[in-house]
Coordinates of all heavy atoms in Angstrom, one line a residue:
G141 N 195.6 213.2 196.5 CA 194.3 213.3 197.1 C 193.1 212.9 196.3 O 192.0 213.2 196.6
L142 N 193.4 212.2 195.2 CA 192.3 211.9 194.2 C 192.1 210.4 194.1 O 191.4 209.9 193.2 CB 192.6 212.4 192.8 CG 192.6 214.0 192.7 CD1 193.0 214.4 191.3 CD2 191.3 214.6 193.1
G143 N 192.7 209.6 195.0 CA 192.6 208.2 195.0 C 191.3 207.6 195.6 O 190.6 208.4 196.2
S144 N 191.1 206.4 195.3 CA 189.9 205.7 195.8 C 190.1 204.2 195.8 O 190.7 203.7 194.9 CB 188.6 206.1 195.0 OG 187.5 205.3 195.4
Q145 N 189.5 203.5 196.8 CA 189.6 202.1 196.8 C 188.4 201.4 196.2 O 188.3 200.2 196.2 CB 189.8 201.6 198.3 CG 191.2 202.0 198.9 CD 192.4 201.6 198.1 OE1 192.5 200.4 197.7 NE2 193.3 202.5 197.8
A146 N 187.5 202.2 195.7 CA 186.2 201.6 195.2 C 186.6 200.8 193.9 O 187.4 201.2 193.1 CB 185.3 202.8 194.8
I147 N 185.8 199.8 193.7 CA 186.0 198.9 192.5 C 185.8 199.7 191.2 O 186.6 199.5 190.3 CB 185.1 197.7 192.6 CG1 185.6 196.7 193.7 CG2 185.1 197.0 191.2 CD1 186.9 196.1 193.4
W148 N 184.8 200.5 191.2 CA 184.5 201.3 190.0 C 185.6 202.2 189.6 O 185.9 202.4 188.4 CB 183.2 202.1 190.2 CG 183.3 203.3 191.1 CD1 183.0 203.3 192.4 CD2 183.8 204.6 190.8 NE1 183.3 204.5 193.0 CE2 183.8 205.3 192.0 CE3 184.3 205.2 189.7 CZ2 184.2 206.7 192.1 CZ3 184.7 206.5 189.7 CH2 184.7 207.2 190.9
F149 N 186.3 202.7 190.6 CA 187.5 203.6 190.4 C 188.6 202.8 189.8 O 189.3 203.2 188.8 CB 187.9 204.3 191.6 CG 189.0 205.3 191.4 CD1 188.7 206.5 190.9 CD2 190.3 205.0 191.8 CE1 189.7 207.5 190.7 CE2 191.3 205.9 191.6 CZ 191.0 207.2 191.1
K150 N 188.9 201.6 190.3 CA 189.9 200.8 189.8 C 189.7 200.3 188.4 O 190.6 200.3 187.5 CB 190.1 199.5 190.7 CG 190.6 199.8 192.1 CD 190.7 198.6 192.9 CE 191.2 198.9 194.4 NZ 191.3 197.7 195.2
L151 N 188.4 200.0 188.1 CA 188.0 199.6 186.7 C 188.1 200.8 185.8 O 188.5 200.7 184.6 CB 186.6 199.1 186.7 CG 186.4 197.7 187.5 CD1 184.9 197.3 187.4 CD2 187.3 196.7 186.9
L152 N 187.8 202.0 186.3 CA 188.0 203.2 185.5 C 189.4 203.4 185.1 O 189.8 203.8 183.9 CB 187.5 204.4 186.2 CG 187.6 205.8 185.5 CD1 186.8 205.8 184.2 CD2 187.2 206.9 186.4
L153 N 190.3 203.2 186.0 CA 191.8 203.3 185.7 C 192.2 202.3 184.7 O 193.0 202.7 183.8 CB 192.6 203.2 187.0 CG 192.4 204.2 188.1 CD1 193.4 203.9 189.2 CD2 192.7 205.6 187.5
V154 N 191.7 201.1 184.7 CA 192.0 200.1 183.7 C 191.6 200.6 182.3 O 192.3 200.5 181.4 CB 191.3 198.7 184.0 CG1 191.5 197.8 182.9 CG2 191.9 198.1 185.3
A155 N 190.4 201.1 182.3 CA 189.8 201.6 181.0 C 190.7 202.8 180.5 O 190.9 202.9 179.2 CB 188.4 202.0 181.2
V156 N 191.1 203.6 181.3 CA 191.9 204.8 180.9 C 193.3 204.3 180.3 O 193.7 204.7 179.2 CB 192.2 205.8 182.1 CG1 193.2 206.8 181.7 CG2 190.9 206.5 182.4
V157 N 193.9 203.4 181.1 CA 195.3 202.9 180.6 C 195.1 202.2 179.3 O 195.9 202.5 178.3 CB 195.9 202.0 181.7 CG1 197.2 201.4 181.1 CG2 196.2 202.8 182.9
V158 N 194.2 201.3 179.2 CA 194.0 200.5 178.0 C 193.6 201.5 176.8 O 194.0 201.3 175.7 CB 192.9 199.4 178.1 CG1 192.6 198.7 176.8 CG2 193.5 198.4 179.1
G159 N 192.7 202.4 177.1 CA 192.2 203.3 176.1 C 193.3 204.1 175.4 O 193.4 204.2 174.2
V160 N 194.2 204.7 176.3 CA 195.3 205.5 175.7 C 196.3 204.5 175.0 O 196.8 204.9 173.9 CB 196.0 206.2 176.9 CG1 197.3 206.9 176.3 CG2 195.1 207.2 177.5
A161 N 196.6 203.4 175.6 CA 197.5 202.5 175.0 C 197.1 201.9 173.7 O 197.9 201.5 172.8 CB 197.9 201.3 176.0
V162 N 195.8 201.8 173.5 CA 195.2 201.3 172.2 C 195.1 202.5 171.2 O 195.3 202.3 170.0 CB 193.8 200.7 172.4 CG1 193.1 200.5 171.1 CG2 194.0 199.3 173.1
Y163 N 194.7 203.7 171.7 CA 194.4 204.8 170.8 C 195.7 205.2 170.0 O 195.6 205.4 168.8 CB 193.9 206.0 171.5 CG 193.7 207.2 170.7 CD1 192.7 207.3 169.7 CD2 194.7 208.2 170.7 CE1 192.6 208.4 168.9 CE2 194.6 209.4 169.9 CZ 193.5 209.5 169.0 OH 193.4 210.6 168.2
L164 N 196.8 205.3 170.7 CA 198.0 205.8 170.0 C 198.5 204.9 168.9 O 198.7 205.4 167.7 CB 199.1 206.0 171.0 CG 198.9 207.2 172.0 CD1 200.1 207.2 173.0 CD2 198.8 208.5 171.3
P165 N 198.6 203.6 169.1 CA 199.0 202.7 167.9 C 197.9 202.6 166.9 O 198.2 202.3 165.7 CB 199.4 201.4 168.6 CG 198.7 201.4 169.9 CD 198.6 202.8 170.3
Y166 N 196.7 202.8 167.3 CA 195.5 202.8 166.3 C 195.6 204.0 165.4 O 195.4 204.0 164.2 CB 194.2 202.8 167.1 CG 193.0 203.0 166.2 CD1 192.4 201.9 165.6 CD2 192.5 204.2 166.0 CE1 191.3 202.1 164.8 CE2 191.3 204.5 165.3 CZ 190.7 203.4 164.6 OH 189.6 203.6 163.8
R167 N 196.0 205.1 166.0 CA 196.0 206.4 165.3 C 197.2 206.5 164.3 O 197.0 207.1 163.3 CB 196.2 207.5 166.4 CG 196.2 208.9 165.8 CD 194.9 209.3 165.1 NE 195.0 210.7 164.6 CZ 195.7 211.1 163.5 NH1 196.4 210.2 162.9 NH2 195.7 212.3 163.2
G168 N 198.3 205.8 164.6 CA 199.4 205.8 163.6 C 200.7 205.5 164.3 O 200.9 205.9 165.4
V169 N 201.6 204.8 163.6 CA 202.8 204.4 164.2 C 203.7 205.6 164.5 O 204.4 205.6 165.5 CB 203.5 203.3 163.3 CG1 203.9 204.0 162.0 CG2 204.7 202.7 164.0
S170 N 203.7 206.6 163.6 CA 204.5 207.8 163.8 C 204.0 208.6 165.0 O 204.8 209.1 165.8 CB 204.5 208.7 162.6 OG 203.3 209.1 162.2
V171 N 202.7 208.7 165.2 CA 202.1 209.4 166.3 C 202.5 208.7 167.6 O 203.0 209.3 168.6 CB 200.6 209.5 166.2 CG1 200.0 210.1 167.5 CG2 200.2 210.3 165.0
A172 N 202.4 207.4 167.6 CA 202.8 206.6 168.8 C 204.2 206.8 169.2 O 204.6 207.0 170.3 CB 202.4 205.1 168.6
A173 N 205.1 206.8 168.1 CA 206.5 206.9 168.4 C 206.9 208.2 169.0 O 207.7 208.3 169.9 CB 207.3 206.7 167.1
R174 N 206.2 209.3 168.6 CA 206.6 210.6 169.1 C 206.2 210.7 170.6 O 207.0 211.2 171.4 CB 205.8 211.7 168.4 CG 206.4 212.0 167.0 CD 205.8 213.3 166.5 NE 204.4 213.3 166.3 CZ 203.8 213.0 165.2 NH1 204.5 212.6 164.1 NH2 202.5 213.0 165.1
Y175 N 205.0 210.2 171.0 CA 204.7 210.2 172.4 C 205.5 209.2 173.2 O 205.9 209.5 174.4 CB 203.2 209.8 172.5 CG 202.2 210.9 172.2 CD1 201.6 211.0 171.0 CD2 202.0 211.9 173.2 CE1 200.8 212.1 170.7 CE2 201.1 213.0 172.9 CZ 200.5 213.1 171.6 OH 199.7 214.1 171.3
E176 N 205.8 208.1 172.6 CA 206.7 207.1 173.3 C 208.0 207.7 173.7 O 208.4 207.6 174.9 CB 206.9 205.9 172.4 CG 205.6 205.0 172.3 CD 205.8 204.0 171.2 OE1 206.8 203.9 170.6 OE2 204.8 203.2 170.9
L177 N 208.7 208.3 172.8 CA 210.0 208.9 173.0 C 209.9 210.0 174.1 O 210.7 210.1 175.0 CB 210.6 209.4 171.7 CG 212.1 209.9 171.8 CD1 213.0 208.8 172.4 CD2 212.6 210.4 170.5
A178 N 208.9 210.9 173.9 CA 208.8 212.1 174.8 C 208.6 211.7 176.2 O 209.3 212.1 177.1 CB 207.7 213.0 174.3
F179 N 207.6 210.8 176.4 CA 207.2 210.4 177.8 C 208.3 209.5 178.4 O 208.5 209.6 179.6 CB 205.8 209.8 177.8 CG 204.7 210.7 177.6 CD1 203.8 210.5 176.6 CD2 204.6 211.9 178.3 CE1 202.7 211.4 176.4 CE2 203.6 212.8 178.1 CZ 202.6 212.5 177.1
E180 N 208.9 208.6 177.6 CA 209.9 207.8 178.2 C 211.1 208.6 178.7 O 211.7 208.4 179.8 CB 210.4 206.7 177.2 CG 211.3 205.7 177.8 CD 210.7 204.9 178.9 OE1 209.5 204.5 178.9 OE2 211.5 204.6 179.9
L181 N 211.5 209.6 177.9 CA 212.6 210.5 178.3 C 212.2 211.3 179.5 O 213.1 211.5 180.4 CB 213.0 211.4 177.1 CG 213.7 210.7 175.9 CD1 214.0 211.7 174.8 CD2 214.9 209.9 176.3
L182 N 211.0 211.7 179.6 CA 210.5 212.5 180.8 C 210.6 211.6 182.0 O 211.1 212.0 183.1 CB 209.1 212.9 180.6 CG 208.4 213.6 181.8 CD1 209.1 214.9 182.2 CD2 206.9 213.8 181.5
A183 N 210.2 210.3 181.9 CA 210.3 209.4 183.1 C 211.7 209.2 183.5 O 212.0 209.2 184.7 CB 209.6 208.1 182.7
I184 N 212.6 208.9 182.5 CA 214.0 208.7 182.8 C 214.6 209.9 183.5 O 215.4 209.8 184.5 CB 214.7 208.3 181.5 CG1 214.3 206.9 181.0 CG2 216.3 208.3 181.8 CD1 214.9 206.6 179.7
A185 N 214.3 211.1 183.0 CA 214.9 212.3 183.5 C 214.5 212.5 185.0 O 215.3 212.9 185.8 CB 214.4 213.5 182.7
S186 N 213.2 212.2 185.3 CA 212.8 212.4 186.7 C 213.5 211.4 187.6 O 213.8 211.7 188.8 CB 211.3 212.2 186.8 OG 210.8 210.9 186.4
I187 N 213.6 210.1 187.1 CA 214.3 209.1 187.9 C 215.8 209.4 188.1 O 216.4 209.2 189.2 CB 214.1 207.7 187.3 CG1 212.7 207.3 187.4 CG2 215.0 206.7 188.0 CD1 212.3 206.0 186.6
L188 N 216.4 210.0 187.1 CA 217.8 210.3 187.2 C 218.1 211.4 188.3 O 219.2 211.5 188.8 CB 218.3 210.8 185.8 CG 218.6 209.7 184.8 CD1 219.1 210.3 183.5 CD2 219.5 208.7 185.3
V189 N 217.1 212.2 188.6 CA 217.3 213.1 189.7 C 217.7 212.4 191.0 O 218.6 212.7 191.7 CB 216.0 213.9 190.0 CG1 216.1 214.8 191.3 CG2 215.7 214.9 188.8

Side-chain angles (χ1 to χ4, degrees):
L142 296 178
S144 172
Q145 295 303 310
I147 288 294
W148 69 265
F149 185 77
K150 295 179 180 180
L151 294 179
L152 176 63
L153 294 183
V154 172
V156 168
V157 172
V158 172
V160 174
V162 166
Y163 173 74
L164 289 177
Y166 171 87
R167 180 63 178 76
V169 66
S170 58
V171 174
R174 285 197 297 270
Y175 281 100
E176 287 167 3
L177 185 59
F179 286 128
E180 186 61 38
L181 292 178
L182 173 64
I184 292 173
S186 64
I187 292 173
L188 285 180
V189 172

